[in-house]
Amino acid sequence: MEIKDDNGITVGFLTLDEALTGQWPAVAPHVRTLRDVDVLRVIEPPLGAWPALRAAGFVPKPTKISWIAPNGADDGEFLSVLSQNERRIIRRAQRAAGEAGIRVTVQDPVTPDSLEAFLAIYRTQVSGMRHGVLYADGRSAEILSEPYFAVWAHVGSQLVGGCLVVAASGARFTKMRFSAVAERFRGTSLSRTLYMEVVRASRERGFTTTSLGTEPNLYGHVAKVGLFRFKRRMGFEPHPSQDVGNAGGIEADHLLRLESLDSPSMILGYPEVSAWRGGWGHFYTSDPDLNLSPYLTDLMADVTVTRILEGRPVSHGRE
């Protein structure tokens, strides 16, 4: 077993044989106890080994999740597939933005001054996260030279939020890469207003589909569990990233503890028998009375909850 730090969590990388024997301390004598490890992981396990890995407590899963939605012919068609309540929330957010004096514009190409103003907001937002990763830092030259456009939100001359989107010629869809809003707007629905403009700008550039980003498939670490349902309510579907042409792969995870993760955390695993249609939601919590309703979506093929107390799983079952 090889031990690595992954942005604040400790991951033990196992071979397939090591995972199936269950004798993990024996293959890592330098690890004092498995309580030192948050997640055990097998990279690219063969399909034929998935049943045995599941029996050993591992979840075969896509490494990353990409969120995809059709743009529709216009805003009305895009909104028509959403729930009535979500349509109401989006329209209310758009009205509230106008009443607050927020002006939403599209900039193409992105200018250096606007990018620096956005990165200041982005860095502040990420620095407030428990396991925030500054993915955009050091990429200014790429953003300014490659086919990015931006959706900006201004109050007067002050930038208060935005999204950076790749619109590569010949690509299947636009990709939202980075987004952030100023702290005073984080409790509002400004993000919904920005995302609607991303879809509209994508449509106007001839794209039929938009990606709302790609995330590591361990919600409760870098990406939060609440983002999952939020993006689904906006009409986007989760796909294994490699299935839609993005970088990705397959791995099998066994979550051991939650000290360095949120409770609940969630992994979107491959279904046992059915084809991918939103995956299998594996939730991990220290709460004996976890209410799943804020996290479930209509696309989860199945749901399993594992309760972890004092650094070890104590119960496991479908819900």
Side-chain angles (χ1 to χ4, degrees):
M1 177 163 61
E2 183 180 6
I3 307 297
K4 292 184 179 180
D5 177 81
D6 180 11
N7 297 307
I9 65 171
T10 303
V11 181
F13 290 88
L14 302 172
T15 67
L16 179 60
D17 287 344
E18 290 170 349
L20 296 181
T21 63
Q23 301 301 313
W24 305 309
V27 299
H30 58 288
V31 178
R32 182 176 57 83
T33 168
L34 279 181
R35 289 178 183 270
D36 296 332
V37 178
D38 299 301
V39 182
L40 296 172
R41 179 168 295 163
V42 180
I43 300 296
E44 296 294 339
L47 180 61
W50 291 10
L53 283 167
R54 290 188 176 106
F58 288 80
V59 177
K61 68 183 183 76
T63 303
K64 296 180 180 180
I65 296 295
S66 293
W67 292 87
I68 308 293
N71 294 332
D74 52 31
D75 284 356
E77 185 172 318
F78 178 84
L79 290 168
S80 68
V81 301
L82 308 187
S83 71
Q84 183 177 4
N85 186 55
E86 185 61 25
R87 292 197 299 270
R88 187 182 301 115
I89 291 171
I90 290 172
R91 290 182 177 122
R92 187 164 59 236
Q94 291 171 325
R95 288 196 302 271
E99 292 166 0
I102 296 174
R103 178 172 48 91
V104 178
T105 60
V106 177
Q107 186 180 68
D108 188 359
V110 180
T111 64
D113 288 349
S114 294
L115 177 58
E116 278 307 307
F118 169 79
L119 288 175
I121 296 172
Y122 171 83
R123 292 182 186 113
T124 299
Q125 179 171 308
V126 173
S127 67
M129 300 176 180
R130 185 182 183 189
H131 297 299
V133 181
L134 291 166
Y135 289 115
D137 259 17
R139 305 185 74 165
S140 294
E142 169 195 322
I143 294 167
L144 294 172
S145 63
E146 295 189 5
Y148 278 79
F149 70 84
V151 172
W152 299 138
H154 285 88
V155 174
S157 61
Q158 183 182 13
L159 185 71
V160 297
C163 303
L164 291 169
V165 186
V166 181
S169 177
R172 295 166 57 189
F173 43 78
T174 57
K175 300 178 185 180
M176 193 182 78
R177 295 295 303 275
F178 311 108
S179 67
V181 297
E183 186 171 3
R184 72 179 190 269
F185 290 104
R186 286 179 205 154
T188 72
S189 292
L190 178 58
S191 292
R192 284 180 166 87
T193 300
L194 291 172
Y195 294 169
M196 283 296 299
E197 191 61 33
V198 168
V199 171
R200 182 181 297 121
S202 172
R203 185 190 307 122
E204 290 174 349
R205 283 156 178 75
F207 290 88
T208 59
T209 312
T210 295
S211 168
L212 204 58
T214 297
E215 300 153 352
N217 186 9
L218 174 52
Y219 291 85
H221 179 212
V222 176
K224 302 306 177 185
V225 178
L227 280 177
F228 195 90
R229 190 161 186 257
F230 169 74
K231 291 185 176 183
R232 177 61 194 140
R233 289 179 61 181
M234 284 284 295
F236 290 79
E237 292 192 10
H239 295 266
S241 59
Q242 69 273 17
D243 289 0
V244 293
N246 291 330
I250 296 172
E251 58 196 19
D253 278 6
H254 185 355
L255 198 63
L256 295 177
R257 64 179 194 166
L258 291 171
E259 279 84 346
S260 300
L261 295 161
D262 293 344
S263 177
S265 290
M266 195 233 352
I267 291 170
L268 199 64
Y270 282 103
E272 283 186 330
V273 292
S274 60
W276 183 272
R277 177 63 176 165
W280 178 354
H282 295 262
F283 290 87
Y284 302 84
T285 180
S286 57
D287 181 359
D289 300 309
L290 174 67
N291 176 15
L292 283 176
S293 59
Y295 311 111
L296 298 181
T297 79
D298 58 315
L299 290 183
M300 288 184 182
D302 205 343
V303 174
T304 299
V305 175
T306 300
R307 290 179 172 83
I308 299 178
L309 299 178
E310 299 179 355
R312 61 188 180 90
V314 296
S315 67
H316 172 83
R318 284 179 163 90
E319 303 242 337

